[in-house]
Amino acid sequence: MTTEEHEHAGPHGYSGDKAALLGRLRRIEGQVRGLQRMVDEDTYCIDVLTQISAAKSALQAVAIGLLEDHLAHCVVDAARAGDPTAKVKEASDAIARLVRS
């Protein structure tokens, strides 16, 4: 195991609610499959775009939840251990990616 893998070894903040997280991701997967079906069936463009927006919003909600878990667990644990700098940087970078997307 590399140093980086060791630093990211579980359990992670979302581990306690993994079943709910997986359920949300499965629903999003179903939404994306529905989009494929809509295109295959030549559904009206605006209806497809509306569903794309819904899927994107659902993914953003999952991302925000994961970020909250990261802050509440990984960053807090690093702070308790004495040096949260790397974990705070990871969170800042993740926030920047979410804002840009």
Side-chain angles (χ1 to χ4, degrees):
M1 182 179 288
T2 68
T3 303
E4 185 173 314
E5 288 171 335
H6 180 69
E7 289 174 5
H8 298 293
H12 300 290
Y14 62 81
S15 294
D17 207 18
K18 192 184 238 182
L21 177 62
L22 288 170
R24 291 178 82 180
L25 290 170
R26 284 186 192 103
R27 281 192 298 280
I28 294 166
E29 180 182 23
Q31 284 180 293
V32 172
R33 283 196 188 118
L35 283 164
Q36 292 170 333
R37 190 171 35 259
M38 290 174 81
V39 170
D40 187 48
E41 295 170 357
D42 294 320
T43 302
Y44 184 58
C45 303
I46 298 302
D47 294 338
V48 176
L49 290 169
T50 299
Q51 291 306 311
I52 288 172
S53 179
K56 183 178 176 184
S57 293
L59 276 172
Q60 286 175 331
V62 169
I64 294 298
L66 286 172
L67 182 59
E68 289 171 348
D69 288 342
H70 180 69
L71 293 171
H73 297 280
C74 302
V75 174
V76 168
D77 289 347
R80 287 184 182 137
D83 187 12
T85 306
K87 295 296 181 185
V88 170
K89 174 76 168 113
E90 282 180 343
S92 296
D93 291 347
I95 292 166
R97 287 189 301 274
L98 285 171
V99 171
R100 283 192 301 265
S101 64

